[in-house]
Amino acid sequence: MLFDLLKYGFFNGIYIALVSVGFALIFNILRTIDFSLTDRMTFSGYVFIISEKYIKGLISSHLQLPFVEIISILVGCLLSILSCIILTLIIEKYIFTPIKEKGTSILIITSFGISVIMQSLMSIIFTNSTIVSSIQEYSIPGIGLYPREILVLSFAVTIMIVLNLIIKKTLFGKSINALVFNYELAIFHKIPVKKISSLVFGISAFIIAISGISLSVGFGIYPNIGNKYMIYSFCACLIGGLKNLYGTVIASILLGVFLQFGDCFTSPIVSESLTLIILLVLLYIKPEGLFFEKIRVI
Amino acid sequence: MDLLLSLLTKFFIYAIFLFSLNNIVIGKTGYWAIGHIAYFAIGALFTGVITVIFHFTGYYIYLALFGSIIISIIFSLIPALSILRLRGDFFIFVSITINELIKLLVELISGPSGFSNIPRPPGLTTDLSLMCLSSIIFLILVLYASIFKYHNLNYITTIVRQNEELAKVMGINVYYIRSIFIILGCATAGAAGSLFAFYSNSTDPQRFNINEAVILFALCAFGGIDSIRGTIIASMFYVLILFVLESIFKGLFQIYTTNITSIIFGLILIFSINFFPQGIMGKRGL
Amino acid sequence: MKINKKFALLLLSTIIIAFIMMFYFNVNFKNTDIHIAALLPFDGQVSNFGEMMRNGHIMAEEEINAKLIHGEPRIKIDFYNTSHKKDLALNRMEEASRNGIKFFVEIFGSDQAAHCFDFANQNQIFILSGVDTKPDLIEKGRGCFYRIMPNDAEASNAILQWAKEKELKNLAILYANDDWGLGLKQATIRNSSDLNINILDKIEVLRNQLNFSSIVTKLKTYKLDAILLFIYPDDGGRFLKEATRQDLKTSFFATENFWGNKMTETAKNSANDVMIVVPKTYENENLQKFKNNYKAKFGEEPTIFAIKAYDAVKFIYQIVLSSGNNTNKAKEITKKLTYSGISGKISFDKFGEYIPLGYDRLIFKKIYGNYQPIKVIH
């Protein structure tokens, strides 16, 4: 039982970690949390469900191809990731970039505004009830996990390694660091701010789209699902320290395990409230996060 | 006639709440309390607990109104303490966290669909009397605010809000001034929540979620920070928009009412906060 | 300048109010029609029940209007969306009452109905429901509420009897934490001691709960014979999927609300062998005709909700005709009425409670690629 709880808690934490990494990446550019990120996750999930269903019907009625399901899943993933990236870039270019200089608080409120608008639009288009992808999943016997979850785990590990390499080794990563460290100086040294910010937003959209697809296959999607993950990842980000990617991931996984144990021994509401209370206490005592070197200005 | 009465009651209750958010918390302290709707929830929840769980009857139900103010004051110590260390973004984070926490508390105590059949105290049984009570409370608040304009404390809050260092040099206890107004605002919001529970006879936890909070914040930005006229017009606008949409989308299309309201206020929020920060009636920006 | 701006805005808003008032009070109905309101959820977690019941209502409405003999009034059903929320349900009822509607054919959800009773009694409103199953609703309604569905106590009893016949001793309950789920849970606990069945654990399930892995892990530690699922169908589907993943090998019982495509869409292959109890319907000519018409019109098999909704509309039409559109008279005569609908005979005892006809037992099996409930003969 203990092993099972740890195992599923870990995989629960991976979901939270994907969203938290998205939050942390955007933090580097906007210097605050973008709360509409999770709604873009919901959006990508919806796109995946609909495009996968549509393509499967299209292929099976017009063409005689083998591996219809795998092709439709791959094309669905591609479409969903692409649409998520395009939507993110549009939001970044036309909403966030023009108002970036006005202060972080205004950015937070704006992101809330975007989140409310996106949720309402999605509930008008797709209705409020839960939609599940039609893919039938088979768990791996003996392990009790779906292949999807192992894919997501390997994706998360790869993206962490790659991101870390990019940030430490390449010029791109160094310019991100420069932007974070001193924005005005970075502009003065002709660092291409717009390009970098688009790239970072694009990467965050890619990560978020993967978690959205996985969510739509595993549990199903409803328009307000983002709020739940938003709160969890927000906790993990603040606990882990926003600029520290590893800290965020560790905090997310710890949070996942904690929630799993809490759900088992108490009830979901109690465990969620406990998480929020821990977050509140932490905000009072150590607002810069647990795994963090002190750079951030409070 | 019933319709007009219910619209007016709703308007006064929302106006009391918006007053507490717009003219007291944000207006006097400059802290952006997005999750202020949590105190509205506390007022409604406490009223439900007193009447439905503990079965208070008769004139004892009035205790709910005062009790919710006291409970709101107790819970308002959380953000009031937080401003010792945090400001700006981190106060917004604390505010969101408190909002989610209170929403969970409401769900834990009252169940996912909330209390129902909350009785009204004698003397408040008709809609007219409830409307009168809320209008009287609102008028008192407005009167207080217009007198307060010429009070010394008003100048002190202006200094504290605009230049904290200067205020400290002048020997003003910045923390004390700010926490007083946060507590006052939360107490007012608690009273509004209690009135709302009496008005609608129920407490629905879904009414206190983060989207609703954002809409109410949008109303503040729309009306203009720290302006009484702005508060009145914003709450009138909100009640009317809800009503117009409800009368347009009837029957099966009622699904769209709340969603279209959210879209309208989301757009208003983004627009007004970025390009129109003084709102319709406000004299100063956010 | 400021004052002018404000004045203009206030003027504008008053004009809007006046306009709406005119728009609002100009809505008049034809007096010859019988207007009936149905308060159903068309969005949110239970929207599919709302859809099914609306289909049943529409079928009945069309059939009544098609078969009119001269002189009888037409029936018109107004649908209102409650989103499965109590305060919205009350608002809709007030709205319908303002429009002059006194007869309500449905208020979906036990807590929604209970919340509306005070208003209904004050305004002489008559409610007939085909779904609400919380036991004490009849008592709370004080005469304004009737239902044609047996209450929760009967449903839980039917499930426990079935479990007893299969010699299942150790059970666990998963319940939705609202009035409906709590009512079923309490009824089951009360009934289980009489039948000598142990309830090992009672687990609360939130609305729209996503992650059931910890619950399944917990349930695996008991030696369970069966699990009773008193939860909403999409939550149930997620739970069943998780149970298959973690190899939880027991039998699952549920009530009639798992019938419909929502549960099978979520659970997919895990829906196999799930057992549900459904209020009894006797196969007869009219039922078969209804099923065929329904399938031709909406492209799917009718569930018990559509059948009961159809019966409710036909029954309330009878009540309206025999009471002469007077709700006080309707409240008195309904208790004495008996009506044979397509689901069987509808009659009431002296308290106004529906006299149940027993339960059918159904098991989900795969037919032509879809999971469908099949009747078990016992």
Side-chain angles (χ1 to χ4, degrees):
Chain A
M1 184 188 178
L2 212 62
F3 176 69
D4 274 357
L5 283 178
L6 274 176
K7 183 172 74 183
Y8 293 116
F10 176 76
F11 278 93
N12 210 2
I14 293 286
Y15 278 117
I16 299 171
L18 282 176
V19 183
S20 321
V21 168
F23 274 153
L25 276 175
I26 291 179
F27 182 83
N28 286 328
I29 300 296
L30 294 182
R31 286 187 248 176
T32 189
I33 290 180
D34 171 14
F35 286 99
S36 63
L37 187 79
T38 44
D39 297 306
R40 301 204 281 274
M41 172 182 85
T42 321
F43 171 76
S44 65
Y46 273 124
V47 171
F48 174 74
I49 291 177
I50 284 159
S51 57
E52 195 262 345
K53 204 172 173 183
Y54 181 69
I55 287 160
K56 202 194 262 175
L58 206 69
I59 291 176
S60 51
S61 63
H62 291 289
L63 302 167
Q64 297 296 322
L65 283 178
F67 310 118
V68 177
E69 298 201 333
I70 293 174
I71 290 173
S72 59
I73 289 171
L74 282 178
V75 177
C77 284
L78 205 69
L79 276 177
S80 145
I81 291 167
L82 270 181
S83 59
C84 185
I85 289 175
I86 289 168
L87 180 73
T88 311
L89 290 184
I90 288 172
I91 288 175
E92 187 257 342
K93 192 169 180 195
Y94 292 105
I95 298 175
F96 284 134
T97 314
I99 59 167
K100 212 155 69 180
E101 274 80 40
K102 287 192 176 171
T104 49
S105 300
I106 284 188
L107 282 173
I108 292 181
I109 306 284
T110 310
S111 74
F112 269 123
I114 296 168
S115 150
V116 167
I117 292 173
M118 280 189 69
Q119 284 184 17
S120 325
L121 275 178
M122 282 189 291
S123 59
I124 285 179
I125 299 169
F126 303 106
T127 77
N128 255 339
S129 46
T130 317
I131 304 176
V132 194
S133 153
S134 58
I135 298 165
Q136 169 73 52
E137 285 187 290
Y138 297 98
S139 64
I140 303 167
I143 311 175
L145 289 171
Y146 295 121
R148 167 180 58 88
E149 284 172 317
I150 289 163
L151 276 177
V152 170
L153 173 65
S154 50
F155 169 78
V157 171
T158 344
I159 204 100
M160 277 311 293
I161 293 168
V162 169
L163 270 180
N164 206 35
L165 278 178
I166 285 176
I167 286 172
K168 287 227 169 103
K169 294 282 154 75
T170 62
L171 196 64
F172 168 63
K174 278 170 192 162
S175 18
I176 290 182
N177 274 334
L179 271 182
V180 174
F181 194 69
N182 193 334
Y183 192 78
E184 281 77 23
L185 204 62
I187 295 173
F188 182 72
H189 281 283
K190 287 184 182 164
I191 285 173
V193 181
K194 280 188 179 170
K195 217 174 176 182
I196 287 171
S197 102
S198 306
L199 256 170
V200 171
F201 265 90
I203 295 171
S204 82
F206 180 55
I207 296 171
I208 273 300
I210 295 285
S211 73
I213 291 165
S214 181
L215 211 63
S216 71
V217 177
F219 302 129
I221 291 260
Y222 55 91
N224 296 346
I225 199 173
N227 282 359
K228 207 168 205 152
Y229 278 83
M230 182 190 91
I231 291 298
Y232 290 153
S233 309
F234 167 69
C235 292
C237 277
L238 289 184
I239 291 170
L242 270 163
K243 272 191 276 183
N244 186 345
L245 276 186
Y246 281 120
T248 313
V249 171
I250 292 169
S252 309
I253 289 170
L254 284 180
L255 185 61
V257 175
F258 173 77
L259 283 173
Q260 194 79 6
F261 275 86
D263 285 5
C264 183
F265 293 112
T266 57
S267 82
I269 290 185
V270 174
S271 62
E272 205 178 325
S273 329
L274 274 178
T275 319
L276 289 173
I277 288 171
I278 291 170
L279 173 66
L280 212 57
V281 170
L282 208 73
L283 272 174
Y284 277 51
I285 302 165
K286 211 170 182 298
E288 60 276 357
L290 280 181
F291 310 91
F292 190 63
E293 65 271 34
K294 275 196 178 176
I295 310 171
R296 190 167 55 183
V297 184
I298 302 155
Chain B
M1 206 58 216
D2 286 353
L3 197 66
L4 196 65
L5 205 63
S6 78
L7 281 183
L8 270 175
T9 320
K10 242 189 214 172
F11 158 69
F12 279 119
I13 292 170
Y14 275 113
I16 293 170
F17 176 74
L18 273 187
F19 186 92
S20 78
L21 175 58
N22 191 1
N23 299 41
I24 302 182
V25 176
I26 303 178
K28 295 286 180 274
T29 65
Y31 279 65
W32 292 10
I34 284 193
H36 194 61
I37 200 172
Y39 297 92
F40 195 66
I42 286 176
L45 175 74
F46 187 73
T47 312
V49 168
I50 282 252
T51 51
V52 177
I53 294 183
F54 290 110
H55 301 293
F56 279 39
T57 46
Y59 286 99
Y60 289 110
I61 298 178
Y62 280 111
L63 282 177
L65 199 55
F66 300 107
S68 54
I69 292 173
I70 292 164
I71 297 281
S72 304
I73 289 173
I74 293 169
F75 274 91
S76 71
L77 293 178
I78 307 172
L81 278 174
S82 79
I83 57 169
L84 264 179
R85 289 175 61 95
L86 308 169
R87 76 176 72 144
D89 288 5
F90 279 79
F91 184 77
I92 296 180
F93 293 161
V94 167
S95 191
I96 295 166
T97 317
I98 293 170
N99 183 21
E100 285 297 315
L101 204 56
I102 300 293
K103 202 195 119 201
L104 286 173
L105 189 74
V106 173
E107 242 174 85
L108 192 68
I109 295 177
S110 68
S113 49
F115 293 119
S116 54
N117 295 326
I118 294 171
R120 289 182 189 174
L124 271 188
T125 44
T126 56
D127 277 2
L128 187 67
S129 52
L130 195 63
M131 197 270 281
C132 289
L133 180 66
S134 35
S135 65
I136 287 167
I137 293 178
F138 184 62
L139 282 179
I140 290 171
L141 285 173
V142 170
L143 267 179
Y144 169 75
S146 46
I147 295 166
F148 182 74
K149 232 181 226 171
Y150 308 106
H151 195 272
N152 276 343
L153 201 58
N154 191 26
Y155 302 117
I156 294 176
T157 56
T158 316
I159 297 169
V160 167
R161 198 178 56 238
Q162 288 179 345
N163 196 336
E164 197 182 324
E165 303 302 317
L166 183 65
K168 274 180 187 164
V169 169
M170 287 169 81
I172 297 166
N173 190 344
V174 176
Y175 171 67
Y176 173 74
I177 298 285
R178 278 181 174 158
S179 51
I180 283 260
F181 281 102
I182 285 183
I183 290 171
L184 202 64
C186 295
T188 319
S194 183
L195 284 175
F196 188 80
F198 284 136
Y199 165 69
S200 71
N201 290 347
S202 65
T203 61
D204 183 4
Q206 289 305 315
R207 273 194 186 279
F208 313 123
N209 63 8
I210 198 99
N211 288 2
E212 203 73 18
V214 172
I215 287 175
L216 288 170
F217 191 86
L219 282 175
C220 287
F222 171 73
I225 298 297
D226 202 7
S227 123
I228 300 166
R229 291 168 186 172
T231 304
I232 294 171
I233 287 207
S235 42
M236 199 179 275
F237 182 66
Y238 182 57
V239 172
L240 271 182
I241 271 215
L242 270 181
F243 175 66
V244 168
L245 285 174
E246 262 176 26
S247 43
I248 292 173
F249 297 104
K250 285 196 169 176
L252 286 180
F253 302 104
Q254 264 159 3
I255 310 166
Y256 301 126
T257 315
T258 46
N259 292 329
I260 290 175
T261 323
S262 308
I263 292 176
I264 289 171
F265 283 102
L267 287 174
I268 283 176
L269 177 65
I270 294 177
F271 182 76
S272 68
I273 207 166
N274 289 314
F275 309 110
F276 202 47
Q278 74 271 31
I280 294 179
M281 291 275 128
K283 291 187 186 68
R284 62 180 171 89
L286 275 160
Chain C
M1 192 63 208
K2 280 267 147 44
I3 293 165
N4 280 345
K5 220 157 93 181
K6 186 189 170 190
F7 181 65
L9 264 164
L10 282 172
L11 203 68
L12 199 74
S13 39
T14 16
I15 290 167
I16 293 172
I17 291 181
F19 177 72
I20 297 156
M21 288 301 176
M22 278 164 59
F23 178 73
Y24 205 80
F25 290 113
N26 272 342
V27 184
N28 283 324
F29 295 125
K30 265 190 217 161
N31 288 332
T32 48
D33 287 7
I34 295 174
H35 275 266
I36 291 174
L39 310 184
L40 296 171
F42 294 116
D43 62 342
Q45 207 179 8
V46 288
S47 59
N48 62 329
F49 297 135
E51 266 326 304
M52 286 186 246
M53 302 208 69
R54 192 168 85 95
N55 292 347
H57 287 156
I58 289 173
M59 293 274 297
E61 184 189 359
E62 284 177 356
E63 208 175 299
I64 290 172
N65 285 343
K67 279 184 188 168
L68 285 180
I69 314 163
H70 284 291
E72 283 176 352
R74 291 166 63 82
I75 190 168
K76 174 85 178 62
I77 304 175
D78 291 359
F79 294 99
Y80 292 88
N81 181 16
T82 64
S83 308
H84 207 230
K85 282 181 186 167
K86 285 189 285 201
D87 49 345
L88 282 181
L90 187 59
N91 286 350
R92 302 294 171 250
M93 184 178 248
E94 282 165 3
E95 195 184 325
S97 169
R98 273 202 299 273
N99 289 343
I101 297 175
K102 293 283 177 206
F103 287 88
F104 284 71
V105 78
E106 190 64 65
I107 297 181
F108 189 92
S110 300
D111 17 357
Q112 279 78 5
H115 189 57
C116 293
F117 284 162
D118 281 347
F119 181 81
N121 272 320
Q122 278 163 22
N123 292 282
Q124 281 101 38
I125 281 171
F126 180 88
I127 307 167
L128 182 78
S129 169
V131 276
D132 298 335
T133 55
K134 204 186 167 203
D136 59 353
L137 281 181
I138 296 291
E139 192 186 325
K140 274 187 186 169
R142 301 193 299 278
C144 71
F145 178 81
Y146 289 91
R147 61 176 159 213
I148 55 171
M149 193 84 144
N151 67 35
D152 286 341
E154 306 285 336
S156 76
N157 213 359
I159 291 180
L160 288 174
Q161 287 289 351
W162 194 0
K164 178 132 183 125
E165 279 172 33
K166 296 190 93 162
E167 291 175 354
L168 305 171
K169 280 249 143 152
N170 299 322
L171 309 185
I173 300 176
L174 259 70
Y175 63 95
N177 62 351
D178 60 358
D179 278 10
W180 169 76
L182 286 170
L184 261 172
K185 184 194 96 176
Q186 281 157 6
T188 312
I189 292 170
R190 226 182 299 121
N191 291 336
S192 64
S193 54
D194 302 340
L195 291 166
N196 207 5
I197 284 174
N198 304 323
I199 305 286
L200 292 183
D201 202 351
K202 307 169 276 284
I203 296 172
E204 183 179 298
V205 172
L206 301 184
R207 219 173 253 187
N208 273 330
Q209 185 163 342
L210 294 179
N211 191 354
F212 282 95
S213 50
S214 56
I215 289 178
V216 176
T217 314
K218 193 180 177 184
L219 287 173
K220 268 169 81 176
T221 55
Y222 304 112
K223 284 212 161 45
L224 286 174
D225 297 324
I227 296 172
L228 313 185
L229 303 173
F230 302 140
I231 50 184
Y232 287 102
D234 48 349
D235 294 336
R238 281 192 283 270
F239 172 78
L240 289 170
K241 192 179 169 188
E242 186 64 41
T244 321
R245 170 164 90 157
Q246 295 199 24
D247 266 345
L248 180 67
K249 285 201 180 67
T250 50
S251 28
F252 300 101
F253 290 94
T255 54
E256 71 276 351
N257 76 338
F258 270 37
W259 199 355
N261 50 11
K262 200 119 184 175
M263 193 275 283
T264 46
E265 262 173 21
T266 321
K268 301 188 186 78
N269 279 352
S270 317
N272 200 13
D273 286 345
V274 173
M275 290 167 263
I276 59 174
V277 292
V278 173
K280 208 173 193 75
T281 50
Y282 293 101
E283 286 299 328
N284 58 36
E285 206 178 308
N286 287 337
L287 182 62
Q288 203 53 47
K289 217 162 82 189
F290 171 75
K291 277 182 178 171
N292 293 340
N293 287 345
Y294 191 93
K295 209 172 177 183
K297 190 159 186 188
F298 301 107
E300 57 187 22
E301 286 279 328
T303 61
I304 188 74
F305 296 96
I307 295 170
K308 287 282 181 191
Y310 177 88
D311 264 358
V313 171
K314 289 220 146 176
F315 186 41
I316 207 167
Y317 186 68
Q318 291 291 328
I319 293 171
V320 174
L321 282 189
S322 49
S323 69
N325 218 341
N326 182 347
T327 41
N328 284 331
K329 208 174 162 194
K331 284 176 191 174
E332 287 165 20
I333 59 170
T334 308
K335 267 183 219 173
K336 295 160 202 156
L337 277 181
T338 51
Y339 173 77
S340 57
I342 52 171
S343 63
K345 200 180 85 177
I346 296 169
S347 55
F348 301 92
D349 65 10
K350 61 180 176 183
F351 302 109
E353 177 66 284
Y354 171 72
I355 298 171
L357 304 168
Y359 274 84
D360 279 336
R361 294 173 182 181
L362 278 73
I363 292 188
F364 275 90
K365 289 282 180 206
K366 197 168 191 172
I367 306 164
Y368 306 123
N370 290 333
Y371 280 94
Q372 273 169 6
I374 291 169
K375 235 175 224 185
V376 182
I377 295 139
H378 63 280

